[in-house]
Amino acid sequence: MENNIEIKNIREKTPTLYIVIPCYNEEEVLPITSKQFLAKIRQLVTEEKITDDSRILFVNDGSKDSTWDIIRKLSAEDPHYIGICQSRNRGHQNAVLAGLMEAKDQCDITISIDCDGQDDINAMDRMVDAYLDGCEVVYGVRSKRDTDTVFKRFTAEGFYKLLNWMGAEVVYNHADYRLISSRVLQEFANYKEVNIFLRGMVPLVGFKSTSVYYERAERIAGESHYPLKKMLALAFDGITSLSVKPIRLITSFGLLVASLSFIGILWAVIGALVGETAPGWASVTCIVCFIGGIQMLFLGVIGEYIGKIYLETKHRPRYIISERTYKDTDAKQDMGTDKK
């Protein structure tokens, strides 16, 4: 990836931008950050980097508070605000996907970003510049983690290293803050899997890409929706959705244990023949417990893969849009239900 960006403006057409923002119980922070997003849109329009048809697309992920009411109010106040509402909570990754698929036929580029105000929105300027310079995907990457606790920094960095070691191709210190062109989104729409891990799926599409670096701030208001438990679940989903390396490690470890067991059997037989054996309840118990525990662990990992296959074969929709704040002429039903 190229890190140094020289703006050549090789694009002949001024692009239309859709900022895709997943929202789940964001009533505290949304009134604050929505103004920042609108100011950024207006700035980029003034600088003639994007068209005035650009929009801020909020995706309500089944919030239980007044998030959707706030989105509808914002849409009524300014046409740059639009929103879609999922029929129920489907998780962050599905919410981002719903927004990207909603926007792919209506704009030239999308930028996905969280609603909490932690990601530096000024990095969007460099993202758009990189697109104008010919890049189709631009990753927003944290330059440092000074605001994190030692534990958070250790677990987060370990998260990316583990994913890459397990075979999931991800950009180090990149979450879901990225620019994607409509050209890439059209190709990405061909990825039909139900188990979604966008950080690992987007690099698989290919095309010219680069990274822009920024410093992440503290959350403006509200509470984080990604505690350690969810981070671990996301890591496990990413690994099992994008890599078969755990299965291969299980096979390798199984061969090792089988080899050691064969050696143990030879040792036991030889000892019995020469009459040097003695009762060994403790050693037998330890071996049985060890082998039993390993088998249960491996069955759990294999079961996780089988479970994902089970979900994939059902071909259930990854998201269902129950309501929009605007008229979409390409939708199957105006203000109705879309399934994808």
Side-chain angles (χ1 to χ4, degrees), residues 168-230:
E169 183 182 348
V170 295
V171 178
Y172 190 72
N173 272 340
H174 162 70
D176 288 294
Y177 186 20
R178 69 180 75 85
L179 178 148
I180 309 179
S181 71
S182 59
R183 179 186 180 189
V184 174
L185 287 177
Q186 295 294 340
E187 299 299 332
F188 186 74
N190 295 321
Y191 287 66
K192 302 296 185 181
E193 55 257 53
V194 175
N195 301 285
I196 302 169
F197 185 68
L198 296 175
R199 302 180 198 184
M201 292 171 65
V202 172
L204 295 177
V205 184
F207 292 95
K208 184 179 179 181
S209 64
T210 189
S211 297
V212 298
Y213 296 86
Y214 68 96
E215 294 185 18
R216 204 162 193 253
E218 296 287 346
R219 185 182 176 91
I220 294 178
E223 298 180 356
S224 172
H225 300 309
Y226 259 99
L228 177 61
K229 181 179 178 180
K230 281 193 174 183

Short mmCIF file of all heavy atoms in Angstrom, two decimals, residues 168-230:
data_model
loop_
_atom_site.label_atom_id
_atom_site.label_comp_id
_atom_site.label_asym_id
_atom_site.label_seq_id
_atom_site.Cartn_x
_atom_site.Cartn_y
_atom_site.Cartn_z
N ALA A 168 -6.42 -14.36 8.35
CA ALA A 168 -7.41 -13.34 7.97
C ALA A 168 -6.66 -12.07 7.58
O ALA A 168 -5.99 -11.45 8.40
CB ALA A 168 -8.36 -13.07 9.13
N GLU A 169 -6.76 -11.67 6.32
CA GLU A 169 -6.02 -10.51 5.81
C GLU A 169 -6.69 -9.21 6.26
O GLU A 169 -7.73 -8.82 5.75
CB GLU A 169 -5.97 -10.56 4.28
CG GLU A 169 -5.15 -9.43 3.67
CD GLU A 169 -5.16 -9.49 2.15
OE1 GLU A 169 -5.60 -10.51 1.60
OE2 GLU A 169 -4.72 -8.49 1.53
N VAL A 170 -6.07 -8.56 7.25
CA VAL A 170 -6.61 -7.30 7.75
C VAL A 170 -5.52 -6.26 7.77
O VAL A 170 -4.32 -6.58 7.83
CB VAL A 170 -7.20 -7.47 9.18
CG1 VAL A 170 -8.40 -8.39 9.17
CG2 VAL A 170 -6.15 -7.99 10.16
N VAL A 171 -5.92 -4.99 7.73
CA VAL A 171 -4.98 -3.88 7.82
C VAL A 171 -4.76 -3.56 9.28
O VAL A 171 -5.71 -3.34 10.04
CB VAL A 171 -5.53 -2.64 7.08
CG1 VAL A 171 -4.56 -1.47 7.20
CG2 VAL A 171 -5.77 -2.97 5.61
N TYR A 172 -3.52 -3.54 9.71
CA TYR A 172 -3.17 -3.35 11.12
C TYR A 172 -3.68 -2.01 11.64
O TYR A 172 -3.49 -0.97 11.02
CB TYR A 172 -1.65 -3.44 11.29
CG TYR A 172 -1.19 -3.49 12.72
CD1 TYR A 172 -1.37 -4.62 13.50
CD2 TYR A 172 -0.57 -2.39 13.31
CE1 TYR A 172 -0.95 -4.68 14.82
CE2 TYR A 172 -0.13 -2.43 14.62
CZ TYR A 172 -0.32 -3.57 15.37
OH TYR A 172 0.10 -3.61 16.68
N ASN A 173 -4.35 -2.05 12.78
CA ASN A 173 -4.92 -0.87 13.45
C ASN A 173 -6.00 -0.16 12.64
O ASN A 173 -6.26 1.03 12.83
CB ASN A 173 -3.81 0.14 13.82
CG ASN A 173 -3.21 -0.17 15.19
OD1 ASN A 173 -3.81 -0.85 16.02
ND2 ASN A 173 -2.01 0.33 15.43
N HIS A 174 -6.62 -0.90 11.73
CA HIS A 174 -7.75 -0.35 10.97
C HIS A 174 -9.02 -1.03 11.43
O HIS A 174 -9.07 -2.26 11.57
CB HIS A 174 -7.55 -0.59 9.47
CG HIS A 174 -8.82 -0.47 8.67
ND1 HIS A 174 -9.44 0.75 8.46
CD2 HIS A 174 -9.59 -1.40 8.06
CE1 HIS A 174 -10.54 0.55 7.74
NE2 HIS A 174 -10.65 -0.75 7.48
N ALA A 175 -10.06 -0.24 11.68
CA ALA A 175 -11.35 -0.80 12.10
C ALA A 175 -12.32 -0.76 10.91
O ALA A 175 -12.16 -1.49 9.96
CB ALA A 175 -11.90 -0.02 13.30
N ASP A 176 -13.31 0.12 10.95
CA ASP A 176 -14.27 0.19 9.85
C ASP A 176 -14.40 1.62 9.31
O ASP A 176 -15.43 1.98 8.75
CB ASP A 176 -15.64 -0.32 10.31
CG ASP A 176 -15.65 -1.83 10.50
OD1 ASP A 176 -15.50 -2.54 9.48
OD2 ASP A 176 -15.77 -2.30 11.63
N TYR A 177 -13.37 2.41 9.50
CA TYR A 177 -13.31 3.77 8.96
C TYR A 177 -12.57 3.69 7.63
O TYR A 177 -11.34 3.57 7.60
CB TYR A 177 -12.58 4.67 9.95
CG TYR A 177 -12.56 6.15 9.59
CD1 TYR A 177 -13.48 6.70 8.70
CD2 TYR A 177 -11.64 7.00 10.19
CE1 TYR A 177 -13.46 8.05 8.40
CE2 TYR A 177 -11.60 8.36 9.91
CZ TYR A 177 -12.51 8.88 9.01
OH TYR A 177 -12.49 10.22 8.72
N ARG A 178 -13.30 3.74 6.52
CA ARG A 178 -12.68 3.57 5.22
C ARG A 178 -13.51 4.20 4.11
O ARG A 178 -14.72 4.33 4.24
CB ARG A 178 -12.48 2.08 4.91
CG ARG A 178 -13.73 1.31 4.66
CD ARG A 178 -13.47 -0.16 4.35
NE ARG A 178 -13.12 -0.91 5.53
CZ ARG A 178 -14.03 -1.45 6.36
NH1 ARG A 178 -15.32 -1.27 6.13
NH2 ARG A 178 -13.66 -2.12 7.40
N LEU A 179 -12.85 4.56 3.04
CA LEU A 179 -13.51 5.00 1.81
C LEU A 179 -13.53 3.83 0.83
O LEU A 179 -12.51 3.16 0.65
CB LEU A 179 -12.78 6.19 1.21
CG LEU A 179 -13.32 6.76 -0.11
CD1 LEU A 179 -13.07 8.27 -0.19
CD2 LEU A 179 -12.66 6.08 -1.34
N ILE A 180 -14.68 3.61 0.21
CA ILE A 180 -14.81 2.59 -0.82
C ILE A 180 -15.55 3.20 -2.00
O ILE A 180 -16.59 3.84 -1.84
CB ILE A 180 -15.59 1.35 -0.33
CG1 ILE A 180 -15.02 0.83 0.99
CG2 ILE A 180 -15.58 0.26 -1.37
CD1 ILE A 180 -15.77 -0.37 1.54
N SER A 181 -15.02 3.00 -3.20
CA SER A 181 -15.68 3.52 -4.39
C SER A 181 -16.87 2.64 -4.76
O SER A 181 -16.95 1.47 -4.37
CB SER A 181 -14.69 3.58 -5.56
OG SER A 181 -14.38 2.27 -6.01
N SER A 182 -17.80 3.20 -5.53
CA SER A 182 -18.96 2.42 -5.97
C SER A 182 -18.53 1.27 -6.86
O SER A 182 -19.19 0.21 -6.88
CB SER A 182 -19.94 3.33 -6.72
OG SER A 182 -19.32 3.92 -7.86
N ARG A 183 -17.43 1.43 -7.58
CA ARG A 183 -16.92 0.35 -8.43
C ARG A 183 -16.57 -0.87 -7.58
O ARG A 183 -16.90 -2.01 -7.94
CB ARG A 183 -15.68 0.84 -9.18
CG ARG A 183 -15.04 -0.20 -10.09
CD ARG A 183 -13.74 0.32 -10.66
NE ARG A 183 -13.10 -0.67 -11.53
CZ ARG A 183 -11.88 -0.53 -12.02
NH1 ARG A 183 -11.18 0.56 -11.74
NH2 ARG A 183 -11.36 -1.48 -12.79
N VAL A 184 -15.91 -0.64 -6.45
CA VAL A 184 -15.55 -1.74 -5.56
C VAL A 184 -16.80 -2.31 -4.90
O VAL A 184 -16.93 -3.54 -4.74
CB VAL A 184 -14.55 -1.26 -4.49
CG1 VAL A 184 -14.29 -2.35 -3.45
CG2 VAL A 184 -13.24 -0.83 -5.14
N LEU A 185 -17.74 -1.45 -4.53
CA LEU A 185 -18.96 -1.93 -3.88
C LEU A 185 -19.79 -2.81 -4.81
O LEU A 185 -20.43 -3.77 -4.36
CB LEU A 185 -19.80 -0.75 -3.41
CG LEU A 185 -19.28 0.00 -2.18
CD1 LEU A 185 -20.18 1.19 -1.86
CD2 LEU A 185 -19.19 -0.92 -0.97
N GLN A 186 -19.78 -2.50 -6.10
CA GLN A 186 -20.50 -3.34 -7.06
C GLN A 186 -19.91 -4.74 -7.07
O GLN A 186 -20.65 -5.74 -7.16
CB GLN A 186 -20.44 -2.72 -8.47
CG GLN A 186 -21.14 -1.38 -8.60
CD GLN A 186 -22.65 -1.46 -8.40
OE1 GLN A 186 -23.26 -2.52 -8.52
NE2 GLN A 186 -23.26 -0.33 -8.10
N GLU A 187 -18.61 -4.85 -6.99
CA GLU A 187 -17.97 -6.17 -6.94
C GLU A 187 -18.17 -6.81 -5.58
O GLU A 187 -18.37 -8.03 -5.47
CB GLU A 187 -16.47 -6.03 -7.24
CG GLU A 187 -16.14 -5.48 -8.61
CD GLU A 187 -16.68 -6.35 -9.73
OE1 GLU A 187 -16.81 -7.58 -9.53
OE2 GLU A 187 -16.97 -5.81 -10.82
N PHE A 188 -18.13 -6.00 -4.54
CA PHE A 188 -18.29 -6.53 -3.18
C PHE A 188 -19.69 -7.11 -2.97
O PHE A 188 -19.88 -8.02 -2.16
CB PHE A 188 -18.04 -5.41 -2.15
CG PHE A 188 -18.03 -5.88 -0.73
CD1 PHE A 188 -16.96 -6.60 -0.23
CD2 PHE A 188 -19.09 -5.62 0.12
CE1 PHE A 188 -16.94 -7.05 1.08
CE2 PHE A 188 -19.09 -6.06 1.42
CZ PHE A 188 -18.01 -6.77 1.91
N ALA A 189 -20.66 -6.60 -3.72
CA ALA A 189 -22.03 -7.10 -3.60
C ALA A 189 -22.14 -8.56 -4.02
O ALA A 189 -23.11 -9.24 -3.67
CB ALA A 189 -22.98 -6.24 -4.46
N ASN A 190 -21.13 -9.06 -4.74
CA ASN A 190 -21.14 -10.47 -5.15
C ASN A 190 -20.73 -11.41 -4.02
O ASN A 190 -20.85 -12.62 -4.16
CB ASN A 190 -20.19 -10.67 -6.35
CG ASN A 190 -20.67 -9.93 -7.59
OD1 ASN A 190 -21.87 -9.90 -7.87
ND2 ASN A 190 -19.75 -9.33 -8.34
N TYR A 191 -20.22 -10.84 -2.93
CA TYR A 191 -19.88 -11.65 -1.76
C TYR A 191 -21.16 -11.87 -0.95
O TYR A 191 -21.67 -10.95 -0.31
CB TYR A 191 -18.83 -10.95 -0.90
CG TYR A 191 -17.45 -10.95 -1.51
CD1 TYR A 191 -17.17 -10.24 -2.68
CD2 TYR A 191 -16.40 -11.64 -0.91
CE1 TYR A 191 -15.91 -10.24 -3.25
CE2 TYR A 191 -15.13 -11.64 -1.46
CZ TYR A 191 -14.90 -10.94 -2.63
OH TYR A 191 -13.64 -10.94 -3.18
N LYS A 192 -21.67 -13.07 -0.99
CA LYS A 192 -23.00 -13.36 -0.45
C LYS A 192 -23.00 -13.99 0.94
O LYS A 192 -24.06 -14.35 1.45
CB LYS A 192 -23.75 -14.28 -1.41
CG LYS A 192 -23.91 -13.73 -2.83
CD LYS A 192 -24.75 -12.47 -2.85
CE LYS A 192 -24.98 -12.00 -4.29
NZ LYS A 192 -25.78 -10.76 -4.34
N GLU A 193 -21.84 -14.17 1.57
CA GLU A 193 -21.84 -14.88 2.84
C GLU A 193 -22.62 -14.14 3.92
O GLU A 193 -22.70 -12.91 3.95
CB GLU A 193 -20.41 -15.16 3.33
CG GLU A 193 -19.54 -13.94 3.43
CD GLU A 193 -18.56 -13.87 2.27
OE1 GLU A 193 -19.01 -13.95 1.13
OE2 GLU A 193 -17.35 -13.72 2.53
N VAL A 194 -23.20 -14.93 4.82
CA VAL A 194 -23.98 -14.39 5.92
C VAL A 194 -23.08 -13.98 7.08
O VAL A 194 -23.35 -13.01 7.78
CB VAL A 194 -25.03 -15.42 6.39
CG1 VAL A 194 -25.78 -14.94 7.63
CG2 VAL A 194 -26.00 -15.73 5.26
N ASN A 195 -22.00 -14.72 7.29
CA ASN A 195 -21.05 -14.41 8.36
C ASN A 195 -20.11 -13.32 7.87
O ASN A 195 -19.20 -13.58 7.07
CB ASN A 195 -20.27 -15.67 8.74
CG ASN A 195 -21.18 -16.79 9.20
OD1 ASN A 195 -21.70 -16.76 10.31
ND2 ASN A 195 -21.39 -17.78 8.35
N ILE A 196 -20.34 -12.10 8.34
CA ILE A 196 -19.68 -10.93 7.77
C ILE A 196 -18.57 -10.42 8.69
O ILE A 196 -18.77 -10.24 9.89
CB ILE A 196 -20.71 -9.80 7.55
CG1 ILE A 196 -21.83 -10.29 6.63
CG2 ILE A 196 -20.04 -8.58 6.96
CD1 ILE A 196 -23.00 -9.36 6.58
N PHE A 197 -17.40 -10.19 8.11
CA PHE A 197 -16.30 -9.54 8.80
C PHE A 197 -15.66 -8.59 7.80
O PHE A 197 -14.76 -8.97 7.04
CB PHE A 197 -15.29 -10.56 9.32
CG PHE A 197 -14.18 -9.97 10.14
CD1 PHE A 197 -14.43 -9.42 11.39
CD2 PHE A 197 -12.89 -9.96 9.66
CE1 PHE A 197 -13.41 -8.86 12.13
CE2 PHE A 197 -11.86 -9.41 10.40
CZ PHE A 197 -12.12 -8.87 11.64
N LEU A 198 -16.14 -7.35 7.76
CA LEU A 198 -15.78 -6.41 6.69
C LEU A 198 -14.30 -6.09 6.66
O LEU A 198 -13.73 -5.87 5.59
CB LEU A 198 -16.60 -5.13 6.85
CG LEU A 198 -18.12 -5.27 6.68
CD1 LEU A 198 -18.82 -3.96 6.97
CD2 LEU A 198 -18.46 -5.76 5.28
N ARG A 199 -13.64 -6.06 7.81
CA ARG A 199 -12.22 -5.72 7.84
C ARG A 199 -11.38 -6.72 7.06
O ARG A 199 -10.32 -6.37 6.53
CB ARG A 199 -11.73 -5.67 9.29
CG ARG A 199 -12.49 -4.70 10.16
CD ARG A 199 -11.95 -4.68 11.57
NE ARG A 199 -12.92 -4.09 12.48
CZ ARG A 199 -12.70 -3.86 13.78
NH1 ARG A 199 -11.53 -4.21 14.30
NH2 ARG A 199 -13.63 -3.33 14.53
N GLY A 200 -11.84 -7.95 7.02
CA GLY A 200 -11.11 -8.95 6.27
C GLY A 200 -11.65 -9.18 4.88
O GLY A 200 -10.94 -9.66 4.00
N MET A 201 -12.92 -8.81 4.64
CA MET A 201 -13.55 -9.06 3.34
C MET A 201 -13.18 -7.99 2.31
O MET A 201 -12.97 -8.30 1.14
CB MET A 201 -15.07 -9.12 3.51
CG MET A 201 -15.54 -10.33 4.29
SD MET A 201 -17.31 -10.25 4.69
CE MET A 201 -18.03 -10.35 3.04
N VAL A 202 -13.11 -6.73 2.73
CA VAL A 202 -12.83 -5.65 1.78
C VAL A 202 -11.47 -5.82 1.10
O VAL A 202 -11.37 -5.67 -0.13
CB VAL A 202 -12.92 -4.27 2.48
CG1 VAL A 202 -12.44 -3.15 1.54
CG2 VAL A 202 -14.35 -4.00 2.93
N PRO A 203 -10.39 -6.18 1.83
CA PRO A 203 -9.11 -6.39 1.13
C PRO A 203 -9.15 -7.51 0.10
O PRO A 203 -8.35 -7.52 -0.84
CB PRO A 203 -8.14 -6.74 2.28
CG PRO A 203 -8.73 -6.09 3.48
CD PRO A 203 -10.22 -6.23 3.30
N LEU A 204 -10.08 -8.47 0.26
CA LEU A 204 -10.17 -9.58 -0.68
C LEU A 204 -10.64 -9.12 -2.06
O LEU A 204 -10.35 -9.78 -3.06
CB LEU A 204 -11.12 -10.65 -0.14
CG LEU A 204 -10.71 -11.37 1.14
CD1 LEU A 204 -11.80 -12.35 1.57
CD2 LEU A 204 -9.39 -12.11 0.95
N VAL A 205 -11.36 -8.01 -2.12
CA VAL A 205 -11.89 -7.53 -3.40
C VAL A 205 -10.76 -7.03 -4.30
O VAL A 205 -10.82 -7.15 -5.53
CB VAL A 205 -12.93 -6.41 -3.18
CG1 VAL A 205 -13.55 -5.98 -4.50
CG2 VAL A 205 -14.02 -6.89 -2.23
N GLY A 206 -9.71 -6.49 -3.68
CA GLY A 206 -8.58 -5.99 -4.48
C GLY A 206 -8.75 -4.54 -4.86
O GLY A 206 -9.31 -3.75 -4.10
N PHE A 207 -8.26 -4.14 -6.02
CA PHE A 207 -8.22 -2.78 -6.54
C PHE A 207 -7.15 -1.95 -5.80
O PHE A 207 -6.67 -2.32 -4.74
CB PHE A 207 -9.58 -2.09 -6.43
CG PHE A 207 -10.63 -2.68 -7.34
CD1 PHE A 207 -11.51 -3.65 -6.87
CD2 PHE A 207 -10.74 -2.28 -8.66
CE1 PHE A 207 -12.47 -4.21 -7.71
CE2 PHE A 207 -11.70 -2.83 -9.50
CZ PHE A 207 -12.57 -3.79 -9.02
N LYS A 208 -6.82 -0.81 -6.38
CA LYS A 208 -5.78 0.05 -5.82
C LYS A 208 -6.24 0.63 -4.49
O LYS A 208 -7.35 1.14 -4.36
CB LYS A 208 -5.47 1.19 -6.79
CG LYS A 208 -4.33 2.09 -6.33
CD LYS A 208 -4.03 3.18 -7.35
CE LYS A 208 -2.90 4.08 -6.87
NZ LYS A 208 -2.60 5.17 -7.83
N SER A 209 -5.38 0.53 -3.48
CA SER A 209 -5.74 1.01 -2.15
C SER A 209 -4.57 1.71 -1.50
O SER A 209 -3.42 1.59 -1.93
CB SER A 209 -6.19 -0.16 -1.27
OG SER A 209 -5.12 -1.07 -1.06
N THR A 210 -4.87 2.45 -0.46
CA THR A 210 -3.85 3.13 0.33
C THR A 210 -4.39 3.33 1.74
O THR A 210 -5.52 2.93 2.05
CB THR A 210 -3.47 4.48 -0.30
OG1 THR A 210 -2.33 5.01 0.39
CG2 THR A 210 -4.60 5.48 -0.20
N SER A 211 -3.60 3.94 2.59
CA SER A 211 -4.02 4.21 3.98
C SER A 211 -3.75 5.66 4.33
O SER A 211 -2.78 6.25 3.84
CB SER A 211 -3.26 3.29 4.95
OG SER A 211 -3.54 1.93 4.72
N VAL A 212 -4.61 6.22 5.16
CA VAL A 212 -4.35 7.53 5.76
C VAL A 212 -4.34 7.33 7.27
O VAL A 212 -5.10 6.51 7.80
CB VAL A 212 -5.41 8.57 5.35
CG1 VAL A 212 -5.40 8.79 3.86
CG2 VAL A 212 -6.80 8.16 5.80
N TYR A 213 -3.49 8.07 7.94
CA TYR A 213 -3.30 7.87 9.37
C TYR A 213 -3.87 9.03 10.16
O TYR A 213 -3.80 10.19 9.73
CB TYR A 213 -1.80 7.68 9.67
CG TYR A 213 -1.24 6.43 9.04
CD1 TYR A 213 -0.76 6.45 7.72
CD2 TYR A 213 -1.22 5.22 9.74
CE1 TYR A 213 -0.27 5.29 7.13
CE2 TYR A 213 -0.72 4.07 9.15
CZ TYR A 213 -0.26 4.11 7.85
OH TYR A 213 0.22 2.97 7.26
N TYR A 214 -4.43 8.71 11.32
CA TYR A 214 -5.05 9.75 12.14
C TYR A 214 -4.98 9.34 13.60
O TYR A 214 -4.74 8.16 13.93
CB TYR A 214 -6.51 9.94 11.73
CG TYR A 214 -7.40 8.76 12.05
CD1 TYR A 214 -8.16 8.73 13.23
CD2 TYR A 214 -7.49 7.66 11.20
CE1 TYR A 214 -8.97 7.64 13.53
CE2 TYR A 214 -8.29 6.58 11.49
CZ TYR A 214 -9.03 6.57 12.67
OH TYR A 214 -9.82 5.49 12.98
N GLU A 215 -5.18 10.30 14.48
CA GLU A 215 -5.21 10.02 15.92
C GLU A 215 -6.65 9.89 16.38
O GLU A 215 -7.50 10.72 16.03
CB GLU A 215 -4.51 11.14 16.69
CG GLU A 215 -3.01 11.22 16.42
CD GLU A 215 -2.32 12.26 17.29
OE1 GLU A 215 -2.94 12.66 18.32
OE2 GLU A 215 -1.21 12.68 16.96
N ARG A 216 -6.93 8.87 17.15
CA ARG A 216 -8.29 8.62 17.62
C ARG A 216 -8.51 9.30 18.96
O ARG A 216 -7.66 9.25 19.85
CB ARG A 216 -8.53 7.11 17.74
CG ARG A 216 -10.00 6.72 17.65
CD ARG A 216 -10.13 5.25 17.33
NE ARG A 216 -11.48 4.89 16.93
CZ ARG A 216 -12.32 4.20 17.70
NH1 ARG A 216 -11.95 3.79 18.89
NH2 ARG A 216 -13.53 3.91 17.25
N ALA A 217 -9.65 9.94 19.11
CA ALA A 217 -9.97 10.69 20.32
C ALA A 217 -10.83 9.84 21.26
O ALA A 217 -11.22 8.72 20.94
CB ALA A 217 -10.69 11.98 19.96
N GLU A 218 -11.14 10.40 22.40
CA GLU A 218 -12.06 9.75 23.33
C GLU A 218 -13.48 9.86 22.81
O GLU A 218 -13.81 10.78 22.05
CB GLU A 218 -11.96 10.40 24.72
CG GLU A 218 -10.60 10.26 25.40
CD GLU A 218 -10.36 8.85 25.90
OE1 GLU A 218 -11.34 8.07 25.97
OE2 GLU A 218 -9.20 8.53 26.21
N ARG A 219 -14.33 8.94 23.22
CA ARG A 219 -15.73 8.99 22.84
C ARG A 219 -16.36 10.27 23.39
O ARG A 219 -16.16 10.61 24.56
CB ARG A 219 -16.46 7.76 23.37
CG ARG A 219 -17.90 7.65 22.91
CD ARG A 219 -18.56 6.41 23.51
NE ARG A 219 -19.96 6.36 23.15
CZ ARG A 219 -20.45 5.76 22.08
NH1 ARG A 219 -19.63 5.13 21.27
NH2 ARG A 219 -21.74 5.77 21.82
N ILE A 220 -17.13 10.98 22.55
CA ILE A 220 -17.70 12.27 22.95
C ILE A 220 -18.74 12.10 24.04
O ILE A 220 -18.78 12.84 25.02
CB ILE A 220 -18.32 12.98 21.73
CG1 ILE A 220 -17.20 13.38 20.74
CG2 ILE A 220 -19.12 14.21 22.15
CD1 ILE A 220 -17.71 14.04 19.49
N ALA A 221 -19.61 11.13 23.90
CA ALA A 221 -20.67 10.88 24.88
C ALA A 221 -21.13 9.44 24.77
O ALA A 221 -20.83 8.74 23.80
CB ALA A 221 -21.85 11.84 24.66
N GLY A 222 -21.88 8.99 25.78
CA GLY A 222 -22.39 7.62 25.76
C GLY A 222 -21.32 6.61 26.12
O GLY A 222 -20.20 6.95 26.52
N GLU A 223 -21.65 5.34 25.98
CA GLU A 223 -20.76 4.26 26.33
C GLU A 223 -20.36 3.45 25.09
O GLU A 223 -21.11 3.38 24.13
CB GLU A 223 -21.42 3.31 27.35
CG GLU A 223 -21.77 3.98 28.67
CD GLU A 223 -22.42 3.03 29.65
OE1 GLU A 223 -22.67 1.87 29.25
OE2 GLU A 223 -22.65 3.42 30.79
N SER A 224 -19.18 2.86 25.16
CA SER A 224 -18.69 2.04 24.05
C SER A 224 -19.56 0.80 23.90
O SER A 224 -20.00 0.20 24.89
CB SER A 224 -17.24 1.63 24.31
OG SER A 224 -16.82 0.69 23.34
N HIS A 225 -19.81 0.41 22.65
CA HIS A 225 -20.58 -0.79 22.36
C HIS A 225 -19.67 -1.96 22.00
O HIS A 225 -20.15 -3.00 21.54
CB HIS A 225 -21.56 -0.52 21.21
CG HIS A 225 -22.53 0.58 21.50
ND1 HIS A 225 -23.30 0.62 22.64
CD2 HIS A 225 -22.85 1.71 20.80
CE1 HIS A 225 -24.07 1.71 22.63
NE2 HIS A 225 -23.80 2.39 21.52
N TYR A 226 -18.35 -1.78 22.23
CA TYR A 226 -17.41 -2.86 21.92
C TYR A 226 -16.51 -3.15 23.12
O TYR A 226 -15.33 -2.84 23.11
CB TYR A 226 -16.56 -2.50 20.70
CG TYR A 226 -17.04 -3.17 19.44
CD1 TYR A 226 -17.84 -2.47 18.54
CD2 TYR A 226 -16.72 -4.48 19.15
CE1 TYR A 226 -18.31 -3.09 17.38
CE2 TYR A 226 -17.17 -5.10 18.00
CZ TYR A 226 -17.96 -4.40 17.12
OH TYR A 226 -18.42 -5.01 15.98
N PRO A 227 -17.05 -3.77 24.17
CA PRO A 227 -16.21 -4.21 25.28
C PRO A 227 -15.35 -5.40 24.89
O PRO A 227 -15.44 -5.91 23.75
CB PRO A 227 -17.23 -4.60 26.36
CG PRO A 227 -18.45 -5.00 25.58
CD PRO A 227 -18.46 -4.11 24.37
N LEU A 228 -14.53 -5.89 25.81
CA LEU A 228 -13.60 -6.98 25.52
C LEU A 228 -14.33 -8.22 25.02
O LEU A 228 -13.87 -8.90 24.09
CB LEU A 228 -12.79 -7.33 26.78
CG LEU A 228 -11.81 -8.50 26.64
CD1 LEU A 228 -10.77 -8.21 25.57
CD2 LEU A 228 -11.15 -8.79 27.99
N LYS A 229 -15.48 -8.52 25.61
CA LYS A 229 -16.23 -9.71 25.21
C LYS A 229 -16.61 -9.66 23.73
O LYS A 229 -16.46 -10.64 22.99
CB LYS A 229 -17.49 -9.85 26.07
CG LYS A 229 -18.34 -11.07 25.76
CD LYS A 229 -19.55 -11.14 26.66
CE LYS A 229 -20.42 -12.36 26.31
NZ LYS A 229 -21.62 -12.44 27.19
N LYS A 230 -17.08 -8.50 23.26
CA LYS A 230 -17.46 -8.36 21.85
C LYS A 230 -16.24 -8.37 20.95
O LYS A 230 -16.30 -8.87 19.82
CB LYS A 230 -18.26 -7.07 21.65
CG LYS A 230 -19.72 -7.18 22.06
CD LYS A 230 -20.52 -6.00 21.54
CE LYS A 230 -22.00 -6.17 21.81
NZ LYS A 230 -22.81 -5.06 21.26
#
